[in-house]
Amino acid sequence: MGSMAEGEADLELDAEENCHDEKPAEKPRKHDSGAADLEKVTDYAEDKEISASSLESAMSVIGDRRSKEQTAKQQRENELAKVTIRKEDVELIMNEMEIGRTAAERSLREHMGNVVEALVALTN
């Protein structure tokens, strides 16, 4: 009989909890409009998504542009490598500007071996 009484007590507690739950249950309803707004935004974003085919074409355009840039950069490097520079000029720039040999050589090559222009460019 004691076990029945415990079962009845549980039922009473559940009934009491249900009574208290009715008031807070109103709160989520207030937020339903926010959820509806969020769904609208999500639907809009989904409509704006890029299709796979347009994405692939964009990637191929970017890939082509990159390869052209790489080719142009390589041609530029080849042209710079052809420029003859004097060891004394490189050392002068290294000492005056306190930079490394590669930076000094690069600046000299970019200015066709003209040490004055190279120094001016490095100071600006």
Side-chain angles (χ1 to χ4, degrees), residues 90-110:
V90 174
E91 288 173 2
L92 173 73
I93 292 175
M94 286 172 57
N95 293 332
E96 289 297 318
M97 302 307 298
E98 297 177 355
I99 58 174
R101 179 172 299 280
T102 52
E105 286 179 1
R106 174 122 187 134
S107 181
L108 254 180
R109 289 183 193 282
E110 286 174 349

Side-chain angles (χ1 to χ4, degrees), residues 17 30 34-35 39 43 46 48-49 70 80 88-90 92 94 102 105 115 118-119:
E17 285 174 10
K30 291 177 188 173
E39 278 184 34
D43 291 343
E46 286 170 358
K48 290 286 183 182
E49 281 182 17
Q70 282 296 111
L80 290 177
E88 301 84 31
D89 293 344
V90 174
L92 173 73
M94 286 172 57
T102 52
E105 286 179 1
V115 72
L119 282 167

Side-chain angles (χ1 to χ4, degrees), residues 46-66:
E46 286 170 358
D47 292 343
K48 290 286 183 182
E49 281 182 17
I50 300 168
S51 68
S53 62
S54 65
L55 185 62
E56 285 175 19
S57 64
M59 290 299 288
S60 68
V61 167
I62 291 169
D64 292 345
R65 191 171 294 160
R66 278 197 181 145

